[in-house]
Each structure stands twice: as structure tokens, then as C-alpha cells.
Amino acid sequence: MRTTVTLDPDVERMLRDRVRATRSSFKQVLNNAVREGLQDKRGSRTKTRFVVEARPLRLRAGIDPARLGEVADELEIEAFLRTSGRLNARKSP
């Protein structure tokens, strides 16, 4: 099949470099590059099943694991205020 294709300058440069390196024709290098790019690479990978190994959290009684993000936020705010010297100013009446 004969067709006209507009190549980006960087793609043309890569193809011309490959032509020089392999001493092949531009047509052959272009066809090989298109074949490589269009091959279904999903089938060539080995599919391994992702497994999550669960471990008990061993939390103290009364700690809600769903609210740990909120606790982390509060601790981060306190640390910031402590380092900036504002915590002491806020607590004093």
C-alpha cells in the first residue's frame, strides 16, 4: 500500500538514525518500527496475581481505624504549631 504520512521531526530523526545504524532502507526501518509499535505486548507479559497479605493492626481498644487519617492530621497540625511557637500562645488565657 502506498500512502503519505507526515512525521514529526523527532520521529524522522530517529528513523534516519536507525537507517544509518542498520544500513537498511527507510521503508524497511519504518515498517519494522510500525510493526513493533503495533504488536500486542500484553500477551508477552507473564501475568502474576497481585496478593495482599493482610496483617492484624493490633490497635488498642477504642481506636477507630477508619479515623486514623484524622488523628494523623491533628498530630501534624500540633507539630506545626509547636515548631512555629504558636501552640503556647494559643493555650495561654
Side-chain angles (χ1 to χ4, degrees):
M1 180 175 112
R2 187 178 187 98
T3 187
T4 301
V5 178
T6 304
L7 300 173
D8 291 337
D10 62 321
V11 174
E12 180 189 7
R13 190 171 36 252
M14 288 188 290
L15 286 170
R16 297 231 181 256
D17 289 346
R18 181 74 54 94
V19 165
R20 279 192 291 279
T22 61
R23 295 184 178 165
S24 302
S25 70
F26 186 85
K27 175 183 170 182
Q28 188 176 7
V29 169
L30 178 61
N31 282 322
N32 288 341
V34 171
R35 272 190 206 96
E36 249 181 72
L38 294 177
Q39 277 182 340
D40 186 12
K41 305 225 179 193
R42 290 174 288 167
S44 65
R45 293 184 191 160
T46 331
K47 293 185 180 181
T48 57
R49 186 179 168 103
F50 180 78
V51 179
V52 175
E53 296 179 18
R55 295 180 291 163
L57 289 176
R58 296 189 176 111
L59 296 175
R60 292 183 186 175
I63 295 179
D64 183 4
R67 299 191 66 201
L68 289 176
E70 292 175 25
V71 173
D73 290 342
E74 289 174 13
L75 291 172
E76 186 176 348
I77 291 168
E78 284 181 17
F80 172 76
L81 292 175
R82 192 176 312 110
T83 57
S84 65
R86 296 182 195 166
L87 185 62
N88 292 335
R90 272 182 59 194
K91 285 188 177 180
S92 48

